[in-house]
């Protein structure tokens, strides 16, 4: 089983306007609603690829109920902890001449609530995969991911971490199966300008030394490079098409890689499927659907 963790899920309310004028009433030309959160995005793409997963995390209030129902309607199993107080986030994305975001804070997560989450991870068994994705809410301890990894580290499971800065670095000691920094995140991690492939390779190999087993470096319009645990380097390009949406593209790549490796144990194919999923989401108004993923896969 694949488990995905989203500590602070949301409903993303996307509004399209011809023009946004501050201080006045603005009327939308169209609206969209999506269930948001990096781990949830991974679960959604896995479902499109025919892979089962269980979404873990916290929900609260009527928004939390909508999140759980929405996942159920998509055929995605969830095992969220329902908080007694607060409301899960509603994030507003404004798309006019420019794009702006207003992200909510989310409910308070107590130590007792987090202990309940740790207990749920006891269901994860040998051969399973857990995906830790996104930032940590302010109400949760900064070492939340490390607490989870300490709890599961002796069970021979695959660990995927899609996080940034110290949050990522502190997880490397647990030998994650996959991490996926982009060029900018590498620059922040190593406090240096990562401008060419030599810099990218240096940084990726340092991350491998620190404990990562496989490192995908996403390069946006220039594709992606996988530095694999078998010592090989794999590259995959991109398909040229109008970009409609960048939210969830990286999560889609993670899901595609996991699914591709689960099915074939082939690193090169896993990278290709990951790239196809990431591209397909970028060319879709929301997360990619299976038909679009298959189309892009055939063009890579």
């Amino acid at each position: 089983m694949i488990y995905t963790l989203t500590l602070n899920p949301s409903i993303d309310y996307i509004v399209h306007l011809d023009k946004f004028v501050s201080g006045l009433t603005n009327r939308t030309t169209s609206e969209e609603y999506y269930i948001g959160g990096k781990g949830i995005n991974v679960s959604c793409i896995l479902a499109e690829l025919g892979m089962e997963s269980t979404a873990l995390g916290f929900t609260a209030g009527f928004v939390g109920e909508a999140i759980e129902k929405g996942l159920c309607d998509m055929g995605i199993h969830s095992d969220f902890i329902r908080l007694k107080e607060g409301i899960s986030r509603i994030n507003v994305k404004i798309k006019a001449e420019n794009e702006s975001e207003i992200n909510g804070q989310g409910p308070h997560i107590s130590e007792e609530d987090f202990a309940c989450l740790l207990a749920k991870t006891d269901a994860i068994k040998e051969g399973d995969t857990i995906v830790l994705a996104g930032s940590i809410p302010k109400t949760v301890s900064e070492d939340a991911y490390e607490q989870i990894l300490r709890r599961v580290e002796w069970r021979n499971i695959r660990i995927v971490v899609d996080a940034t800065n110290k949050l990522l670095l502190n997880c490397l000691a647990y030998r994650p199966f996959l991490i996926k920094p982009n060029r900018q995140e590498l620059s922040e991690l190593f406090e240096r300008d990562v401008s060419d492939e030599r810099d990218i390779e240096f940084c990726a190999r340092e991350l491998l030394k620190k404990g990562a087993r496989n490192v995908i470096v996403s390069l946006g319009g220039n594709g992606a490079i996988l530095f694999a645990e078998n010592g090989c380097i794999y590259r995959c390009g991109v398909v040229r098409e109008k970009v409609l949406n960048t939210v969830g593209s990286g999560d889609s790549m993670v899901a595609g890689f996991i699914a591709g490796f689960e099915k074939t144990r082939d690193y090169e194919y896993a990278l290709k499927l990951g790239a196809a999923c990431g591209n397909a989401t970028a060319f879709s108004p929301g997360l990619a659907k299976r038909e679009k993923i298959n189309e892009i896969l055939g063009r890579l």
Side-chain angles (χ1 to χ4, degrees), residues 8-252:
N8 204 5
S10 66
I11 294 290
D12 290 347
Y13 175 44
I14 301 174
V15 295
H16 297 264
L17 307 94
D18 291 329
K19 186 177 182 181
F20 177 74
V21 182
S22 178
L24 297 180
T25 298
N26 295 266
R27 304 205 178 273
T28 67
T29 56
S30 62
E31 305 166 10
E32 302 155 22
Y33 300 85
Y34 298 105
I35 298 172
K38 292 178 71 64
I40 287 174
N41 291 343
V42 172
S43 279
C44 290
I45 294 296
L46 287 172
E48 292 296 325
L49 297 172
M51 303 286 293
E52 291 187 2
S53 69
T54 297
L56 302 175
F58 301 94
T59 58
F62 72 96
V63 179
E65 291 175 5
I67 290 169
E68 293 185 35
K69 182 180 184 303
L71 290 177
C72 181
D73 291 345
M74 288 187 280
I76 297 170
H77 178 64
S78 67
D79 191 14
F80 290 109
I81 295 167
R82 293 282 292 157
L83 302 176
K84 296 177 182 179
E85 298 180 355
I87 299 175
S88 293
R89 298 185 297 163
I90 298 177
N91 297 332
V92 181
K93 318 287 185 179
I94 302 171
K95 296 192 176 185
E97 311 98 310
N98 299 304
E99 293 191 14
S100 302
E101 297 187 8
I102 304 171
N103 289 344
Q105 295 185 31
H108 177 80
I109 301 168
S110 68
E111 291 185 11
E112 182 182 353
D113 295 326
F114 191 76
C116 291
L117 174 66
L118 289 176
K120 282 188 180 292
T121 65
D122 291 343
I124 302 173
K125 59 184 184 298
E126 183 174 351
D128 288 344
T129 298
I130 184 169
V131 181
L132 308 180
S135 59
I136 292 176
K138 293 180 180 179
T139 60
V140 174
S141 172
E142 291 183 356
D143 70 342
Y145 281 177
E146 294 164 81
Q147 290 185 53
I148 293 169
L149 295 180
R150 280 196 296 271
R151 186 103 174 192
V152 303
E153 68 175 319
W154 304 113
R155 292 183 222 163
N156 191 27
I157 66 173
R158 289 197 193 93
I159 297 165
V160 177
V161 180
D162 188 6
T164 59
N165 295 322
K166 288 183 179 180
L167 188 56
L168 173 60
L169 288 177
N170 292 340
C171 292
L172 296 181
Y174 300 92
R175 293 194 49 77
F177 172 72
L178 177 69
I179 63 173
K180 188 200 62 59
N182 58 34
R183 194 199 309 260
Q184 179 181 344
E185 289 164 352
L186 287 179
S187 296
E188 293 170 354
L189 281 171
F190 290 92
E191 299 180 340
R192 58 182 285 175
D193 181 30
V194 178
S195 57
D196 58 30
E197 193 163 318
R198 286 185 61 187
D199 294 328
I200 291 169
E201 182 169 352
F202 170 81
C203 293
R205 293 201 180 281
E206 286 298 306
L207 292 171
L208 291 169
K209 289 178 186 177
K210 291 178 183 292
R213 291 169 54 192
N214 297 283
V215 180
I216 294 177
V217 181
S218 53
L219 303 173
N222 293 319
I225 306 175
L226 169 64
F227 297 85
E229 61 185 327
N230 63 4
C232 296
I233 299 175
Y234 304 94
R235 294 171 175 80
C236 189
V238 296
V239 170
R240 300 298 175 185
E241 199 171 306
K242 183 179 179 180
V243 174
L244 300 178
N245 165 53
T246 57
V247 176
S249 185
D251 309 325
S252 300

